[in-house]
Amino acid sequence: MNIGKTGQILLADIGGTNARFALSQSELGRGDFDQIGPIDYVKVADFPTVREAISDVLARRSGSEQPHRAVLAVAGPVTNNRCVMTNSPWVIDGNELQPALGLDSVHVLNDFEVVAWSLPALQPADLIPLGGQDGLPGEPLLVVGPGTGFGVSCLVDRHGARLAVVTEAGHATLPAEDEREERVITCLRRRLGHVSIERGALSGSGLQNLYEALAEVDGAQVPQRDAAGITKAALEGSCPVSGATLEMFCAILGSVAGNLAVTFGARGGVYIAGGIAPRFPEFLMASAFRARFEAKGRFQEYLRNIPTRLVIKPDASFVGLKMFADHNVD
């Protein structure tokens, strides 16, 4: 941990459409959400640059102590403290923003890296248990998240030094666990070429691809549906193919999460985040998710001891931003 001065910090969660900003008082070791001030919501399209958006937010808080640091979460890849947003014209460059805004430091982090930082501070009310034991203190914590894409990050703590490992695991090849999944993936391969975890199943577009492939494999005529429509029809029980799609989605999520747990040695726990799974916690709990998570042959006991939890806290990213800020004091 780097030790330095404390004070107000600007925290931001920046997506392609919306950006959210808050001010927080830096206190070492405190990642509490109650230490984070009110959140300002900004439409990205209303400002040509992120600098102008931040300046507007700070101007409207003119009565507050101005921040001396900023930690920004962005929905995109970060290289050298810089992110070129995929779905907006904003370029988030910490090294340019720092002098432009008169700040001591600006850290730009991938959004899933920030979720990983939040994990040690999440409370029982923020989580739904999905099986397993208590986890081992000090061991890696893994978070996976199906949403617009499939995010994966792992928080590693060694002798008080923390590092969130950012990955592109969503673009790894989707594995099949049984003959039916092999047939579905064969169908997807004809359509997509390479079938990744993200495009083949574990994202909004992946859920839609899975639905269409299952219909083809089963020779069923189904209406076109997006991810929300598939989920709704599955939960209502009005469409057998939608129901089978959501069942397979949960089973694949369990297999992939288990694969990543043994890959990272995540014996501290595995967390499911993102925008999709929190919409159907009861369905997920009743599905094959946990059985498939543990189904690793000789390593079944290893997986059985690892807890899996569903993150239901809507502003977990701000907890992660605060945890990172307090752990990395300039």
Side-chain angles (χ1 to χ4, degrees), residues 187-209:
C187 175
L188 287 169
R189 194 176 295 120
R190 287 197 299 268
R191 298 181 180 202
L192 304 174
H194 176 248
V195 183
S196 68
I197 293 168
E198 180 177 297
R199 291 188 74 198
L202 301 185
S203 66
S205 61
L207 189 62
Q208 189 173 343
N209 287 332

Side-chain angles (χ1 to χ4, degrees), residues 4-76:
K5 69 179 181 180
T6 60
Q8 286 280 55
I9 309 167
L10 175 69
L11 308 178
D13 183 6
I14 301 170
T17 303
N18 300 297
R20 301 181 297 160
F21 298 91
L23 291 176
S24 173
Q25 186 70 24
S26 176
E27 294 183 36
L28 294 180
R30 294 293 298 273
D32 313 41
F33 193 71
D34 60 11
Q35 297 292 311
I36 299 168
I39 296 172
D40 280 319
Y41 291 76
V42 168
K43 291 283 187 186
V44 170
D46 290 345
F47 296 91
T49 67
V50 67
R51 175 185 171 183
E52 288 167 277
I54 292 173
S55 296
D56 180 76
V57 168
L58 295 179
R60 287 188 275 116
R61 293 175 179 248
S62 56
S64 304
E65 176 190 348
Q66 293 298 288
H68 70 280
R69 305 167 56 208
V71 184
L72 315 177
V74 295

